[in-house]
Amino acid sequence: MQGRSLPFRVATLVTGLLECLGFAGVLFGWTSLVFVFKKQHYFEELCELDAGSLGNATGLDECRARDERFSLIFTLASFTINFMTFPTGYIFDRFKTTVARLIAIFLYTSATLTIAFTSADSAVLLFLAMPMLAVGGILFLITNLQIGNLFGKHRSTIITMYNGAFDSSSAVFLIIKLLYEQGVTIKASFLFISVCSAWHVGRTLLLMPRGHIPYPLPANYRYGLCSRDSPPEEDKKEAGSEKLELQSKEFPSPKKETPGQQQAPGSFWSHTFSPRFAWHVVWLSVIQLWHYLFIGTLNSLLNNLASRDSAIVSTYTNAFAVTQFFGVLCAPWNGLLMDRLKHKYQEEAKRTGAVAKAAALRSVVPSLTLTSLLSLGFAVCASIPVLPLQYATFILQVVSRSFLYGCNAAFLTLAFPSEHFGKLFGLVMALSAVVSLLQFPLFTLIKGPLQNDPLYVNLMLVLLTLLTFIHPFLVNRECQRKESPREVA
């Protein structure tokens, strides 16, 4: 490798993976943290117990008002983590890596300190702390994804691995729960996480660029250790020639291409209002809503299925958190699948003279379809109110979720011009965040008018999940049309 040595880049890769694994997506371990908060009597004042018919513990465990309060906190935090992707992405693009990471560290540390010093009397501060924790975490992920640019042909695999680590970090709250059961206070756990901010600062200054990691890398590219990221002018020129060469390899011109086929990339709004983008928003929003609703209401669901037996609820909560950890192992398989299919279809395009861009886009169709299929299986299992079946639900949930966000990023990269990627990525996440707000009214509907019977809500969401198969079908049909002899003749 040119520039920084391979060990230095591996150190950047490994520490970035540990950062995502230990901090970025801890919000999604919410079920484990809710268990601890309930033991600490958070929002207990909302529970109106009927002393004549209910025992104290039973009444508290089935308190609807408290469950709704916890659900609302998770709804706002999960909304924030997606909706703020657009402005945080702009901050990353405009002010670059160091500034974005310092903002992330400030938000994250402020959140963990707030949680550490929160008590049952000040539990309302969780409405502030959890969204801050979410935004800080997503900024850690965004700034680390560019590390894939350091490893060329393994770029997609590394990006999906980082997304998997983001999912797996939810196991951190399981560790906090287990430590709490061994006598370690929640204050001590979050103070330790706050102290880890010194590690984040050190990594920002020593192992991360001040600006952005370019792709492809220019010759003798340097970063970290307070070095200047910007290459000399001759390196910039060489980087430009390397980029053109890479693009010619990845997207070779089709045979008998006419000048009219070389079209401008189009405006941002033309892509925003395209059917391709609209169906992708539907695909992501429906699947993500299922995941968020499941995570946000799992504690309440387990209490109902286990007849409010705290030991059983604790066992299933631990099992869910453990399966979440394996997201980091599942996600790279999706990247490997896309990388292999992309190479295969582009080789076919070279032989047949088909449009190579369509061939590359076609490589993501199997992953889109597989994600929809896994999500449908997860939705069906989650809809069956049988306690032992929840183990299968947990497995399908973590596998489908680990595929979801890698497919999202890969599709936007291949389906739209690179100059619009950041804006389109932020917009699709923001729109899916608006849809995710439905999880709270759905939870209220289940707890209220449906009297803890989620059957009708689950059936509706299963039917909506079937709509997600339309997206890969339309993309595949479009690719086949562009690869047909009439299109390339």
Side-chain angles (χ1 to χ4, degrees):
M1 285 189 174
Q2 298 172 328
R4 288 292 185 190
S5 64
L6 177 60
F8 189 85
R9 297 186 182 188
V10 170
T12 302
L13 170 67
V14 172
T15 56
L17 184 63
L18 291 175
E19 187 171 77
C20 290
L21 192 60
F23 303 93
V26 293
L27 172 68
F28 298 105
W30 177 247
T31 304
S32 298
L33 201 59
V34 167
F35 186 90
V36 176
F37 286 152
K38 286 188 174 182
K39 293 294 184 182
Q40 291 283 81
H41 310 294
Y42 282 42
F43 300 118
E44 193 170 285
E45 69 279 2
L46 298 174
C47 302
E48 298 178 1
L49 300 177
D50 184 357
S53 59
L54 295 174
N56 187 56
T58 301
L60 288 176
D61 281 340
E62 67 179 10
C63 176
R64 171 187 167 186
R66 183 174 60 173
D67 286 343
E68 288 182 348
R69 185 62 58 88
F70 284 126
S71 177
L72 181 59
I73 292 172
F74 181 77
T75 299
L76 292 176
S78 58
F79 166 80
T80 305
I81 201 171
N82 280 355
F83 189 80
M84 290 301 293
T85 301
F86 191 53
T88 53
Y90 173 80
I91 291 172
F92 176 57
D93 287 344
R94 177 68 177 83
F95 300 103
K96 302 184 180 179
T97 302
T98 299
V99 173
R101 287 184 58 83
L102 291 177
I103 293 173
I105 294 167
F106 171 76
L107 291 173
Y108 203 92
T109 307
S110 300
T112 53
L113 287 174
T114 300
I115 298 172
F117 290 101
T118 298
S119 64
D121 294 331
S122 57
V124 70
L125 290 176
L126 294 177
F127 281 99
L128 174 65
M130 299 312 296
M132 291 173 63
L133 191 74
V135 176
I138 195 64
L139 262 174
F140 281 144
L141 176 65
I142 290 173
T143 55
N144 278 307
L145 287 178
Q146 62 181 324
I147 293 173
N149 295 346
L150 295 173
F151 296 90
K153 62 182 180 180
H154 302 296
R155 185 173 174 232
S156 295
T157 303
I158 291 172
I159 288 174
T160 52
M161 182 172 62
Y162 272 44
N163 276 283
F166 176 81
D167 293 339
S168 296
S169 62
S170 58
V172 170
F173 282 171
L174 168 64
I175 297 173
I176 292 176
K177 173 182 175 292
L178 295 175
L179 290 174
Y180 176 81
E181 292 173 341
Q182 297 301 315
V184 179
T185 64
I186 192 171
K187 179 179 180 179
S189 295
F190 277 96
L191 283 177
F192 175 78
I193 296 175
S194 301
V195 171
C196 290
S197 295
W199 183 75
H200 297 313
V201 173
R203 185 169 178 274
T204 299
L205 298 177
L206 301 177
L207 292 174
M208 294 295 288
R210 290 184 179 182
H212 297 136
I213 299 175
Y215 182 76
L217 289 177
N220 300 316
Y221 174 70
R222 296 175 61 84
Y223 69 95
L225 295 176
C226 301
S227 65
R228 294 188 309 135
D229 297 328
S230 300
E233 288 301 318
E234 59 270 16
D235 286 344
K236 290 183 180 179
K237 293 178 182 177
E238 186 173 348
S241 63
E242 288 178 2
K243 185 173 183 179
L244 290 174
E245 182 180 356
L246 179 68
Q247 289 175 342
S248 65
K249 290 180 179 178
E250 289 194 349
F251 306 114
S253 299
K255 296 177 181 178
K256 302 180 182 179
E257 182 178 13
T258 62
Q261 289 177 298
Q262 299 177 351
Q263 299 177 351
S267 68
F268 166 70
W269 293 111
S270 67
H271 295 294
T272 300
F273 292 106
S274 66
R276 178 191 292 182
F277 182 79
W279 276 109
H280 186 67
V281 171
V282 172
W283 179 85
L284 177 65
S285 299
V286 170
I287 296 176
Q288 182 177 259
L289 176 61
W290 247 120
H291 289 293
Y292 283 1
L293 181 65
F294 183 75
I295 294 171
T297 62
L298 181 59
N299 181 265
S300 176
L301 173 66
L302 292 177
N303 271 294
N304 290 334
L305 295 179
S307 299
R308 293 169 290 280
D309 186 317
S310 181
I312 296 177
V313 172
S314 178
T315 299
Y316 277 86
T317 299
N318 294 348
F320 176 68
V322 169
T323 57
Q324 294 294 294
F325 179 77
F326 289 96
V328 70
L329 302 178
C330 299
W333 291 102
N334 188 28
L336 288 170
L337 174 64
M338 288 187 287
D339 281 340
R340 289 181 65 86
L341 289 175
K342 182 179 177 182
H343 177 75
K344 173 186 175 183
Y345 292 143
Q346 287 183 338
E347 287 297 318
E348 290 179 1
K350 289 179 182 179
R351 292 194 304 268
T352 63
V355 178
K357 185 75 173 178
L361 179 58
R362 186 180 162 202
S363 66
V364 81
V365 172
S367 293
L368 291 172
T369 307
L370 182 58
T371 304
S372 293
L373 186 61
L374 289 168
S375 299
L376 180 61
F378 157 64
V380 171
C381 286
S383 302
I384 302 175
V386 178
L387 195 57
L389 189 61
Q390 297 310 307
Y391 289 117
T393 305
F394 298 162
I395 294 172
L396 288 169
Q397 192 270 343
V398 70
V399 176
S400 63
R401 188 165 177 266
S402 65
F403 275 51
L404 178 63
Y405 295 107
C407 283
N408 174 50
F411 176 79
L412 293 174
T413 299
L414 296 171
F416 302 100
S418 59
E419 55 264 39
H420 299 313
F421 172 77
K423 297 185 287 293
L424 290 172
F425 181 81
L427 182 59
V428 75
M429 296 302 288
L431 292 173
S432 67
V434 173
V435 176
S436 73
L437 289 174
L438 290 174
Q439 61 185 294
F440 182 68
L442 289 175
F443 178 76
T444 304
L445 177 64
I446 293 171
K447 282 289 185 179
L450 297 181
Q451 299 180 345
N452 274 337
D453 184 3
L455 175 63
Y456 294 109
V457 171
N458 289 340
L459 287 176
M460 178 189 67
L461 291 176
V462 168
L463 292 176
L464 286 175
T465 305
L466 290 173
L467 290 178
T468 64
F469 287 92
I470 297 176
H471 179 44
F473 171 76
L474 292 177
V475 173
N476 186 61
R477 190 177 68 173
E478 181 181 354
C479 292
Q480 288 178 340
R481 187 175 67 249
K482 289 184 176 180
E483 291 176 329
S484 64
R486 287 179 298 177
E487 290 288 331
V488 299

